[in-house]
Amino acid sequence: AGSFDRVLLDAPCTGLGALRRRPEVRWRRTAEDVAPLADLQRRLLDSALASVRPGGVVAYVTCSPHTAETVDVVAAAARRDDVEVLPVAPLFPEVPDLARGDAAQLWPHRHGTDAMFMALLRRTR
């Protein structure tokens, strides 16, 4: 706990952002899958934040564009008084239309990628 400078959390998710490459996902997922995964993602993000030292950064990444698995999970962590969300878009100036608030959202139709989401969270103390 509190010993890492950086942690990458590639969170388990519905995988809906990879439909372009894996269309069978649409038949394996239901609306009921989202809430338990979002709960797990929040718990994993809390654990990742506990793993970084003050000043350390957690990159939270999913292959889902679903708000419950992306911005809602980050918003829950951002409500903590020891977390600051860092803007991602300035780190990728060559990627147009990347910003989703302070986070980044890639889209198949805009970026030619899976629908990947990334947020950076700094533990302030």
Side-chain angles (χ1 to χ4, degrees), residues 53-109:
R53 64 170 176 72
V57 175
V58 173
Y60 173 77
V61 180
T62 70
C63 59
S64 174
H66 198 296
T67 302
E69 296 185 279
T70 57
V71 294
D72 291 353
V73 172
V74 172
R79 286 192 287 274
R80 294 174 38 161
D81 63 356
D82 65 340
V83 171
E84 169 189 19
V85 179
L86 305 173
V88 175
L91 301 173
F92 301 95
E94 70 283 0
V95 181
D97 302 321
L98 178 71
R100 186 170 181 185
D102 283 331
Q105 179 71 62
L106 294 171
W107 296 103
H109 64 286

Side-chain angles (χ1 to χ4, degrees), residues 15-26 63 107-116:
L16 296 174
L19 285 175
R20 176 175 78 108
R21 288 182 304 109
R22 296 178 45 214
E24 74 279 1
V25 169
R26 80 183 73 222
C63 59
W107 296 103
H109 64 286
R110 289 188 190 154
H111 305 106
T113 66
D114 289 342
M116 301 295 295

Side-chain angles (χ1 to χ4, degrees), residues 13-16 24-37 66 69:
C13 65
T14 57
L16 296 174
E24 74 279 1
V25 169
R26 80 183 73 222
W27 308 115
R28 293 184 187 162
R29 293 293 181 191
T30 67
E32 291 78 31
D33 294 334
V34 176
L37 281 167
H66 198 296
E69 296 185 279

